[in-house]
Amino acid sequence: MMLALLVAYGEKSCFDYGKWRVLLRNDVLKEYTARGTYIFPPKHGLRLTTNTVAYCVKNLPNWSPLTIAGYHIRESGATAIEEVSFALANAICYVEEVIKVGVSFDKFAPQLNWLPGIHMDFFEEIAKLRAWRKLWAKLAKDRFGAEDPDSCKFRFVCYPCGSTLTAQQPLNNVVRVTLGALVG
């Protein structure tokens, strides 16, 4: 829905919205696995995401149409390993569905983004991100036949999980957020 609103605003305002750099979240599968705030049944939610990716590839190549979130999975109680596993499973599902509608992997994979959650075990989080990057690169190359090196990149934005912060110790949160920033 946000995509449609941004495009409508761009057209109405005579902006060249095709030149905008926009990063859409658009990860509906995490709503089913982690948050429970979904609107549509899984099949229809997945179709909406798939159609958004296909539309952006064709019409808005500067836009990043999908950010695959591990953050919400982690915040729902998953371990670091479970976070990576569920997020990669969701990514595989998205990629397979987008390929089914006729979009080549190398056409959309370079625009995929990731949203990992960062907890307080400094070394575990660093190891998690390194492993996640390697697993994605291997999946992109071996399973989806990536030919473009950018398709194998693990582009991510991360920040510390809210569950690691406390209202009772706001000054300690500065240190916690700093540690999280060092991980990323």
Side-chain angles (χ1 to χ4, degrees):
M1 290 180 261
M2 184 56 74
L3 169 70
L5 289 171
L6 288 170
V7 169
Y9 176 76
E11 288 175 354
K12 184 176 181 180
S13 303
C14 299
F15 286 116
D16 186 359
Y17 57 87
K19 291 184 179 177
W20 292 352
R21 303 253 338 136
V22 176
L23 186 143
L24 299 173
R25 286 276 177 95
N26 200 27
D27 180 359
V28 298
L29 294 178
K30 65 113 166 60
E31 300 298 335
Y32 304 104
T33 56
R35 292 179 44 166
T37 56
Y38 53 88
I39 298 170
F40 306 110
K43 181 178 176 181
H44 301 295
L46 183 58
R47 192 176 103 223
L48 183 61
T49 297
T50 302
N51 290 345
T52 300
V53 172
Y55 178 86
C56 287
V57 166
K58 183 177 179 184
N59 301 293
L60 303 165
N62 289 334
W63 291 37
S64 296
L66 177 59
T67 301
I68 303 154
Y71 177 93
H72 303 89
I73 295 166
R74 188 70 185 268
E75 283 287 76
S76 294
T79 65
I81 293 169
E82 291 166 341
E83 173 192 3
V84 173
S85 301
F86 276 105
L88 283 172
N90 288 348
I92 290 167
C93 185
Y94 290 129
V95 169
E96 288 175 348
E97 291 299 311
V98 173
I99 289 171
K100 279 183 196 174
V101 298
V103 180
S104 143
F105 181 72
D106 283 326
K107 279 288 215 189
F108 70 93
Q111 294 299 91
L112 293 178
N113 290 284
W114 299 84
L115 178 64
I118 303 299
H119 268 237
M120 291 294 101
D121 188 329
F122 187 71
F123 295 110
E124 179 183 49
E125 294 303 314
I126 292 169
K128 174 186 81 176
L129 291 176
R130 288 180 176 180
W132 201 336
R133 177 183 57 82
K134 286 182 180 183
L135 288 166
W136 174 248
K138 186 163 179 52
L139 276 169
K141 192 87 168 146
D142 296 348
R143 185 168 183 159
F144 300 116
E147 293 178 10
D148 182 350
D150 286 344
S151 296
C152 300
K153 289 183 179 175
F154 183 72
R155 295 176 359 148
F156 68 99
V157 175
C158 63
Y159 46 89
C161 289
S163 62
T164 65
L165 308 175
T166 64
Q168 297 79 14
Q169 301 169 321
L171 294 178
N172 289 349
N173 289 342
V174 173
V175 175
R176 292 180 177 118
V177 170
T178 302
L179 266 175
L182 286 172
V183 168

